[in-house]
């Protein structure tokens, strides 16, 4: 099972779907201030998904020993502005799931709108309680299950989603995604 392409594609589509193409008109320019402007606050570094969710936490959730993790692919989506990073979790060399964390630098989106866009794109998706920014769980056919949560992280819309085999329940995935989205 290669779950990460589904997770990354979904993450890219989410912000595209919940962002309108309309941009407000720019305000007329004002004269430059007489004193030098302070430098902007440093951006929060891109989260490392493997550091956000350990292999041992995944092993406990799926009740299998010997889970390992390795860095997954990174993907940039020019249309949505999303930068996705992922971590793959393996058991005996076979994938047991993947965590993708997507940040949308420079975009404005509310977490609730991001979750609504996923629900619109994934019929049968259900809300998952306990996530301040919102979360949703859904099955893609009989192949994979995904739990995705959204939040603003230092003002940046951020989506964390874990995708695993269809036999993974919402209850199994909730602590995994809660750990990841809290730290993202």
């Amino acid at each position: 099972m290669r779950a990460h392409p589904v997770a990354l594609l979904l993450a890219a589509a989410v912000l595209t779907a919940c962002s309108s193409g309309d941009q407000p008109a720019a305000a007329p320019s004002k004269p430059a201030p007489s004193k030098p402007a302070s430098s902007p606050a440093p951006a929060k570094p891109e989260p490392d998904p493997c550091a956000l969710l350990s292999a041992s936490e995944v092993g406990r959730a799926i009740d299998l020993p010997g889970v390992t993790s390795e860095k997954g692919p990174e993907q940039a989506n020019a249309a949505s502005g999303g930068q996705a990073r992922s971590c793959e979790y393996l058991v005996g060399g076979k994938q047991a799931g993947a965590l993708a964390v997507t940040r949308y630098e420079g975009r404005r989106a509310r977490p609730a709108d991001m979750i609504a866009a996923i629900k619109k794109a994934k019929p049968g998706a259900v809300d998952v309680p306990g996530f301040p920014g919102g979360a949703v769980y859904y099955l893609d056919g009989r192949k994979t299950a995904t739990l995705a949560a959204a939040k603003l992280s230092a003002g940046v819309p951020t989506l964390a989603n874990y995708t695993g085999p269809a036999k993974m329940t919402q209850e199994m995935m909730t602590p995994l995604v809660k750990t990841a989205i809290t730290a993202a």
Side-chain angles (χ1 to χ4, degrees), residues 58 60-63 96 126-128 131 136-139 143-148 162-177:
V58 173
R60 283 191 301 275
I62 63 176
D63 198 25
V126 295
D127 288 317
V128 179
F131 291 85
V136 64
Y137 172 84
Y138 60 90
L139 294 171
K143 294 184 179 186
T144 62
T146 299
L147 196 147
Y162 186 91
T163 299
K167 65 183 177 182
M168 285 191 78
T169 65
Q170 174 181 321
E171 292 75 21
M172 293 168 79
M173 290 182 162
T174 296
L176 300 177
V177 175

